[in-house]
Amino acid sequence: MAETPKPAASQETVVTDTPAAPKAKPAAKRAATRAASGSASAAGKEPSAAKKATSKAAGTKTAATKKTTPRAGSAAPATKKPTAAAPKAKAAPKPKAAAKKAAPKTTSPAPAKPAGARMTKAQKEAADKIFAERLARHHDELRWLYMELYDNGDMFAELCDQMKRFFDERSAKLKELDAQREAAGAWYRASDMLGMQMYIDNFAGTIKGVEEKLDYVQQCNVNYLHLMPFLDTPADKSRSDGGYAVSDFRRVKPELGTMDDLAHLADECHERGISLCMDFVMNHTSEDHKWARRARAGEGEYMSRYFFVKDQGVIDRYTRDVPQVFPTTAPGHFTYLPELDQCVMTQFYPYQWDLNYRNPRVFNEMMYNFLFLANQGMDIIRIDAVPYIWKQLGTNCRNLKQVHTIVRMMRMIGEIVCPGIVLLGEVVMAPVEVVPYFGTVEKPECHMLYNVTTMATTWNTVACRDTRLLRSQLDAVFGLPREYTFLNYLRCHDDIGWGLDYGTLSAWGMAEVPHKQFLNDYFCGIAPGSVSRGELYNADPVTGDARFCGTTASMCGIEAAGFEGDEAAMDVAIRKDIMLHAYMFTQSGLPIIYSGDEIGQVNDYSYKEDPEKAADSRYIHRGAFDWGLTENIEKPGTIQQRIFSALAQLEDIRRTEAIFGAEAEVCTKDYSDTSILWIVRRASGRELHAVFNFSDDAKTVWMPETATYTDLMSGTTAEVTTVDMPSWSFIWMLK
Ligand code: GLC
């Protein structure tokens, strides 16, 4: 690769947020990079100008100095063979049978210590070899991509030094887990994996509170816990975007606890076979982040970490070419800062400043933050809003190829330092844009992606009682390589955007705008026959577009039936809720339950009384977890007991029946009635017929042949020709 390394000696002092590695580097080396970020002083330029300024500074350096070999970056040439055998990885232990209530622990595990703390010389050498091998495996490609983007050998060398530092600091326990997971392969694809997504404050007040509630988590059979954003954000909720405006990537929000509490929780979770997922908000920082504060004070070094624009023409071009994220609650792409008489790019809320990944200092520092968090014991890193991270004037600033370069680099950095970590991409885009984030089988990017179109299409099916669009969506997903693992969900903390396949729908006579209008009317409970309750989100008067907010239970009719005291309607609503979960569990991938759904929690309208939340209707489905309701789980006939025990049964079957394994072949089956969805799973000569009645009427379905089937829900085995299915019910028939 035609890249010229730059000796460090001639450069300015490093401006890094990460303290120097424990082993002191020679001064010349430490001085590596400012020119890079510093080129940085591209501040005030529009993005492409900033890019030029960056390369220009690097170019100047190159011209002024002689070629040398970069140290850390090339320290592990791909051909160099280790001399001693690396310790053999052990087979992954099966996560503890989560279904069984774990006895409450009386003693807590000691917080993990850095691996180096008690190492003998031989152990240290063995660890160094492991790192060298992993680096060697990825070095050339990583360096290639890095240089392609940044053309800066010093910054690359710094990145490699820091990777080693984070590896050295990684605890022995986490390294052991890495080894187990490397040996196990795609551990997150096992059919006993079940996730739950929750807000720490809503669920248990604090991180310590969550730790105290882990028995309940296990009672829910959950072994993957997504803790919603908990890093420091402005205390004023109207400037925190539910935690997605991070002001410090190394500090936990004080009211939730500390980093030590987090590491302790992670340790305890690992003892119980639970993995932890957290959000890594890469696209932007809060305006309260120290970089943003220094940028606001006019420091060029920090201004170059964001996008500052003075030229109205540039702003107009972005406005023309880039779709709005929050057209109603936060219109526009830039926010004017009077103190600088300039605008800063803010694609999300005005207090969320978009980071400038053209600046290698931003990339490096964010990677150090990622590794720091991984070392606290996080297992799954959810890369928030990833399609947005690279901006290019003249494009729609979504899914640009540089985004994929960055994600690929992140994947390799993770595999070098902490290979047990899973990257989960939040790509809320059309399917054709989503799948490329898996990368290729040889050069993978994300390990997992949200199955967002399937989720939206599922609710479309609920409203329309027509499974055709869902079938074509599911077949597209089922046809993908099995290595591609989707995270399946019914609801999450965000709104539902109606990102459906409108090409197909319009061919069937359903135009986009009126169809979205119908869906929103249906789910808001306005359309005739609707049992759903909820609210619109970001209704855009210009495009006629609007998204929707509400909990699964409210969307299924549990709220309306409860309010009206209509028992028959409640039966149907509960059946619908359970059927949708069964359908989610039928798919391959990782199912995630939204905390509260396991007890049918309905919309919470109290956010309207809180001035810091009132403007954001997503809070309707972000209510506090109602612990009082959990007391009903054991009381037969209650809503909570009916839903909770049905989900427990489904989870148990999914975990124990081999037909649900990730390797099964899955497809949909043609059926004459379009309100019936039929999914077939095949593995080891067995066949599961999973049939779902998406209609208000009872149906009699004909099995493909008269044969002996086991009804997995009732456990009865019999010769079956037809099955009577009540409205909104399902069957799991194993042949
Ligand atoms: C993601 C989050 C969403 C947040 C946005 C901005 O899409 O899911 O809640 O508003 O990122 O960070």
Side-chain angles (χ1 to χ4, degrees), residues 241 244 284 326 348 352 382 384 426 493-494 618 622:
D241 186 19
Y244 287 96
H284 42 259
F326 297 136
F348 288 79
Q352 288 167 310
R382 174 187 182 273
D384 183 63
E426 192 225 2
H493 66 296
D494 275 332
R618 290 178 298 178
R622 296 176 182 174

Side-chain angles (χ1 to χ4, degrees), residues 345-479:
M345 185 187 280
T346 54
Q347 289 204 81
F348 288 79
Y349 283 105
Y351 50 79
Q352 288 167 310
W353 294 13
D354 284 67
L355 283 168
N356 177 9
Y357 278 89
R358 289 165 186 275
N359 182 340
R361 171 57 57 209
V362 168
F363 175 77
N364 279 26
E365 292 298 337
M366 291 304 283
M367 289 305 101
Y368 307 155
N369 287 331
F370 153 52
L371 295 175
F372 172 85
L373 294 165
N375 277 358
Q376 307 311 304
M378 297 300 107
D379 302 283
I380 298 98
I381 301 285
R382 174 187 182 273
I383 324 175
D384 183 63
V386 63
Y388 302 80
I389 60 179
W390 194 272
K391 283 85 179 173
Q392 172 79 54
L393 190 61
T395 71
N396 70 355
C397 297
R398 305 282 193 271
N399 311 300
L400 299 181
K401 70 178 192 327
Q402 293 85 348
V403 173
H404 290 281
T405 301
I406 287 175
V407 179
R408 174 71 189 137
M409 288 200 286
M410 195 168 170
R411 171 77 179 243
M412 287 190 277
I413 291 167
E415 284 184 4
I416 292 167
V417 180
C418 42
I421 293 285
V422 163
L423 296 182
L424 163 64
E426 192 225 2
V427 184
V428 181
M429 296 278 152
V432 62
E433 302 287 7
V434 172
V435 173
Y437 284 86
F438 282 121
T440 62
V441 173
E442 295 77 32
K443 295 193 190 308
E445 295 177 22
C446 293
H447 298 80
M448 281 197 296
L449 294 172
Y450 284 89
N451 205 347
V452 57
T453 306
T454 299
M455 181 279 294
T457 312
T458 302
W459 289 111
N460 173 72
T461 312
V462 170
C464 298
R465 289 86 148 172
D466 178 344
T467 64
R468 286 177 299 161
L469 192 69
L470 185 56
R471 267 197 71 195
S472 79
Q473 166 63 20
L474 288 174
D475 281 335
V477 172
F478 295 156

Side-chain angles (χ1 to χ4, degrees), residues 68-84:
T68 60
T69 310
R71 291 178 336 135
S74 54
T79 47
K80 199 172 165 191
K81 290 263 165 7
T83 46

